[in-house]
């Protein structure tokens, strides 16, 4: 595992800064060209492009960064290619459990949920927690009671199950693997955005780790670890080995470095992901700054990702050298 982060950043000249921008991810991990056929690569890129286009349309139409983040993540949650919503991985007991968080950079309001099994789109629940409750973080049965009260769509748990994810669980059990995913792919999905008013937002959604036990919660729904947004600095959504991202406070740490040290999104993210690597963790982040700058940083061979902005940029990628 490399400890030096690979980074990509788009920065505009002062007079070319985009009015809006968005970046998305669909998880980081051990992706390699020799293990992914061209057809599979195109499937993932098409799925990413669909989500990216949904978020970009909101921003191009003058919508808010929160709405753009939500629109992109809903598409990713509904797509079984990714470990969130439909297509989420199974716990050791064969259940699909979901975590999500969303944060508004204007006032740092936030909402999150963990351990739900019936909420069709967990990102909608996270936003409702932020807007419609006095709390930030709801869990398991209580979160689903709240979802029902807010008329958020619930589905039969079988909706989330896919044969591919079940096979991964069986493989993990057969090989008596540890707590990590069978393929070392962290399929969390997320989005960060800046709208035409300069407001930023971040959101993250995940099914967690294949074979997770004991009610394990990763970094995705934890504000400051896997998700954070602050208009004074940036918006961050993370994907990776959640235990390490929690220990490093990754999302907040990146924002703090940008705000207090004046570092760029790329420089701050590189430093923090390097710390994660030193602890023994792997993964990546997407970052958006109020000036429209977006950055991807990872210490893995790949991360499903994409970005678009009002200057006409619209691109998706998988591997670290793209």
């Amino acid at each position: 595992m490399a400890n030096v982060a690979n980074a990509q950043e788009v920065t505009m000249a002062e007079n070319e800064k985009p009015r809006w921008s968005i970046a998305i991810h669909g998880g980081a991990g051990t992706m390699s060209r020799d293990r992914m056929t061209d057809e599979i690569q195109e499937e993932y890129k098409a799925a990413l492009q669909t989500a990216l286009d949904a978020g970009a349309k909101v921003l191009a139409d003058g919508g808010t960064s929160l709405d753009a983040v939500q629109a992109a993540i809903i598409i990713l949650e509904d797509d079984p290619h990714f470990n969130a919503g439909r297509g989420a991985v199974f716990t050791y007991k064969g259940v699909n459990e979901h975590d999500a968080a969303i944060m508004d950079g204007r006032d740092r309001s936030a909402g999150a949920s963990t351990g739900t099994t019936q909420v069709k789109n967990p990102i909608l629940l996270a936003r409702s927690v932020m807007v419609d409750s006095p709390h930030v973080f709801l869990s398991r049965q209580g979160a689903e009671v709240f979802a029902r009260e807010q008329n958020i769509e619930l589905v039969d748990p079988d909706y989330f199950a896919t044969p591919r994810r079940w096979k991964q669980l069986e493989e993990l059990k057969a090989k008596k693997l540890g707590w990590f995913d069978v393929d070392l792919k962290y399929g969390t999905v997320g989005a960060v955005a800046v709208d035409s008013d300069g407001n930023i937002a971040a959101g993250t959604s995940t099914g967690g780790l294949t074979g997770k036990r004991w009610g394990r919660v990763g970094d995705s729904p934890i504000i400051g670890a896997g998700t954070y947004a602050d208009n004074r600095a940036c918006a961050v959504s993370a994907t990776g080995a959640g235990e390490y991202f929690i220990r490093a406070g990754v999302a907040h740490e990146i924002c703090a470095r940008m705000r207090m040290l004046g570092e760029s999104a790329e420089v701050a993210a590189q430093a923090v992901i390097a710390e994660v690597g030193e602890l023994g963790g792997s993964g990546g982040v997407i970052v958006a700054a109020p000036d429209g700058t977006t950055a991807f940083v990872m210490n893995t061979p790949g991360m499903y990702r994409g970005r678009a902005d009002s200057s006409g940029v619209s691109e998706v990628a998988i591997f670290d050298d793209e």
Side-chain angles (χ1 to χ4, degrees):
M1 179 188 63
N3 286 336
V4 178
N6 298 299
Q8 297 173 324
E9 183 175 39
V10 168
T11 307
M12 298 297 210
E14 188 67 30
N15 62 350
E16 295 177 339
K17 287 177 182 174
R19 291 183 300 108
W20 58 260
S21 64
I22 183 171
I24 66 171
H25 72 77
T30 56
M31 300 80 161
S32 63
R33 288 184 175 84
D34 59 355
R35 296 177 63 188
M36 294 182 71
T37 65
D38 290 344
E39 181 180 3
I40 292 175
Q41 291 178 43
E42 288 308 310
E43 284 182 12
Y44 274 96
K45 287 184 176 181
L48 289 167
Q49 191 68 57
T50 298
L52 186 64
D53 290 346
K57 185 179 187 305
V58 171
L59 296 170
D61 290 344
T64 67
S65 54
L66 275 171
D67 286 343
V69 163
Q70 177 179 294
I73 291 176
I74 285 174
I75 298 294
L76 295 169
E77 287 178 335
D78 290 346
D79 192 313
H81 283 89
F82 303 102
N83 174 19
R86 184 166 179 260
V89 299
F90 286 92
T91 68
Y92 197 83
K93 291 185 176 181
V95 178
N96 302 116
E97 294 182 350
H98 311 277
D99 304 336
I102 197 166
M103 189 165 185
D104 187 340
R106 293 176 299 179
D107 59 1
R108 284 170 285 166
S109 57
S113 64
T114 185
T116 60
T117 60
Q118 292 183 276
V119 177
K120 181 175 183 287
N121 291 108
I123 196 66
L124 294 180
L125 173 55
R127 187 163 182 182
S128 187
V129 172
M130 177 177 73
V131 173
D132 301 314
S133 88
H135 308 301
V136 170
F137 201 174
L138 301 182
S139 68
R140 300 186 173 271
Q141 185 178 2
E144 293 194 324
V145 169
F146 177 77
R148 192 172 290 109
E149 291 174 352
Q150 298 302 315
N151 296 315
I152 293 171
E153 184 176 2
L154 303 179
V155 294
D156 186 285
D158 287 344
Y159 163 83
F160 302 107
T162 61
R164 180 168 69 102
R165 296 304 190 190
W166 185 255
K167 182 180 178 183
Q168 288 177 344
L169 177 63
E170 290 183 322
E171 212 176 303
L172 179 142
K173 289 183 174 181
K175 294 181 179 180
K176 297 182 179 180
L177 298 175
W179 58 267
F180 51 83
D181 276 310
V182 175
D183 295 326
L184 282 178
K185 292 188 180 70
Y186 306 106
T188 302
V189 307
V192 293
V194 184
D195 60 34
S196 56
D197 291 325
N199 294 315
I200 64 177
T204 314
S205 182
T206 188
L209 293 173
T210 299
K212 64 183 181 180
R213 304 175 74 177
W214 312 300
R216 180 261 186 189
V217 179
D219 64 304
S220 298
I222 297 177
I223 302 303
T227 307
Y228 201 74
D230 183 344
N231 271 13
R232 299 172 300 174
C234 67
V236 180
S237 176
T239 173
E243 282 68 17
Y244 299 97
F245 281 67
I246 293 169
R247 289 164 58 190
V250 166
H252 184 272
E253 186 79 356
I254 291 170
C255 287
R257 294 182 72 104
M258 291 179 66
R259 184 164 65 91
M260 305 301 290
L261 301 179
E263 293 178 346
S264 69
E266 178 186 348
V267 170
Q270 281 182 325
V272 177
I273 292 300
E275 290 182 14
V276 170
E278 290 167 3
L279 292 173
S282 61
V285 293
I286 56 174
V287 187
D291 67 356
T293 298
T294 56
F296 302 110
V297 177
M298 71 205 85
N299 65 357
T300 53
M303 179 166 67
Y304 300 118
R305 62 198 186 276
R307 62 173 144 222
D309 64 40
S310 56
S311 74
V313 170
S314 182
E315 58 188 18
V316 295
I318 298 175
F319 306 109
D320 60 354
D321 57 1
E322 292 184 274

